[in-house]
Amino acid sequence: MTTSNFIRPLHWLKAGARVVGGCCEITPEHIQRLSDDLRQDGYRLVRFSELSK
């Protein structure tokens, strides 16, 4: 996956994803954009670190 096609959250969610994130070459800015896009589409987001609480 490249940074140019990283931001496709609706595609991921329609495919059944429940956890999304990044790895190599994905910057905090990519994660922020992903988060912003999902919130605009009405999704509720929870930080991964909060899942184990």
Side-chain angles (χ1 to χ4, degrees), residues 6 36 41:
F6 174 71
D36 293 345
D41 290 330

Side-chain angles (χ1 to χ4, degrees), residues 6-43:
F6 174 71
I7 308 300
R8 294 174 43 170
L10 292 180
H11 172 77
W12 292 350
L13 294 171
K14 288 178 183 176
R18 293 293 172 252
V19 177
V20 294
C23 190
C24 303
E25 297 184 28
I26 302 302
T27 67
E29 290 79 18
H30 289 104
I31 299 296
Q32 185 62 55
R33 182 169 168 201
L34 174 64
S35 174
D36 293 345
D37 288 350
L38 289 171
R39 280 193 178 96
Q40 285 180 357
D41 290 330
Y43 288 92

Side-chain angles (χ1 to χ4, degrees), residues 19-20 45-53:
V19 177
V20 294
L45 304 179
V46 177
R47 290 186 179 272
F48 188 75
S49 61
E50 295 173 10
L51 292 176
S52 61
K53 293 181 179 179

